[in-house]
Amino acid sequence: MAEEQWRSGVILRRNRPGSSAKDFRRWPDEPFEEMDSTLAVQQFIQQTIRRDPANLEAILKIPEAQDDGVWKYEHLRQFCMELNGLAVRLQSECKPEICTQMTATEQWIFLCAAHKTPKECPAIDYTRHTLDGAACLLNSNKYFPSRVSIKESSVAKLGSVCRRVYRIFSHAYFHHRAIFDAFEKETHLCKRFTYFVTKYSIISKEILILPKLEDETPIAQQAGESEA
């Protein structure tokens, strides 16, 4: 497929019907400045992840002159899309009758904000509600009508989404470690997310209870309940 595209002088960046797994997304990279689309930032992020999902510096390095708010927004969209993969895996053992509350360590119980009044939910329901809520917000024409420029007041809403998303990683790490480790080995998603929220100071370091790197230890927290 790729050879035929090169010979014709036209690079078609899409998977043709009948493509084998080894040829899936096997097209050349495109420089960011040559991407002529309102989805250019998303495409560039996904392209960099495919090249090497472990290279956090490259994935999170913002292109020159790129709008900072759009960069953060598109990364959070990408995190939520990939995190659905972890949610699917968790369903095999994160049952409502087993994980009756959304917890990380035994010190915290997280309340679900998907209800009129935040309340306790089984962990898997909390996960679904959080990802559904994030999708609704990030696709809202009211707050994010454009993929090219974003108002600062809308960018400010990303913090609360990041806090709730981080709890999904935390629950998986402390209660479903084998699933977490297998997913993380493939995607490096939690490391990338932690690096992202730290690099851009999106959420407080005090609530980052998981290690960013293998040789780091979790940050201790006081016991309690958390709504947001």
Side-chain angles (χ1 to χ4, degrees), residues 157-168:
K157 295 185 177 295
L158 303 181
S160 61
V161 177
C162 286
R163 286 196 303 273
R164 293 167 188 148
V165 163
Y166 186 75
R167 294 166 188 167
I168 300 173

Side-chain angles (χ1 to χ4, degrees), residues 23-47:
D23 291 328
F24 206 66
R25 294 175 176 169
R26 297 280 292 180
W27 48 72
D29 287 349
E30 183 178 14
F32 179 70
E33 57 273 14
E34 294 180 13
M35 293 181 176
D36 184 20
S37 167
T38 56
L39 303 179
V41 177
Q42 180 189 58
Q43 293 169 355
F44 180 72
I45 291 171
Q46 292 175 347
Q47 172 178 280

Side-chain angles (χ1 to χ4, degrees), residues 16-114:
R16 295 295 189 91
S19 296
S20 63
K22 67 180 180 63
D23 291 328
F24 206 66
R25 294 175 176 169
R26 297 280 292 180
W27 48 72
D29 287 349
E30 183 178 14
F32 179 70
E33 57 273 14
E34 294 180 13
M35 293 181 176
D36 184 20
S37 167
T38 56
L39 303 179
V41 177
Q42 180 189 58
Q43 293 169 355
F44 180 72
I45 291 171
Q46 292 175 347
Q47 172 178 280
T48 312
I49 292 170
R50 286 196 300 270
R51 188 186 307 135
D52 182 2
N55 192 340
L56 308 186
E57 284 284 353
I59 295 169
L60 293 173
K61 183 179 180 181
I62 185 169
E64 188 176 348
Q66 173 56 46
D67 180 85
D68 187 68
V70 173
W71 184 247
K72 295 174 185 176
Y73 166 79
E74 291 291 354
H75 267 289
L76 185 52
R77 280 180 61 97
Q78 183 65 30
F79 284 123
C80 291
M81 285 191 287
E82 292 186 63
L83 195 53
N84 277 285
L86 178 59
V88 169
R89 298 190 191 194
L90 287 174
Q91 290 180 123
S92 65
E93 63 178 53
C94 187
K95 307 290 186 182
E97 62 272 17
I98 298 174
C99 299
T100 59
Q101 298 171 317
M102 185 56 165
T103 59
T105 64
E106 294 183 356
Q107 295 173 306
W108 283 100
I109 299 173
F110 300 117
L111 304 183
C112 182

Side-chain angles (χ1 to χ4, degrees), residues 1-11 13 26-28:
M1 296 285 182
E3 289 183 7
E4 292 177 4
Q5 292 170 2
W6 275 109
R7 287 197 201 102
S8 66
V10 177
I11 301 174
R13 290 177 172 84
R26 297 280 292 180
W27 48 72

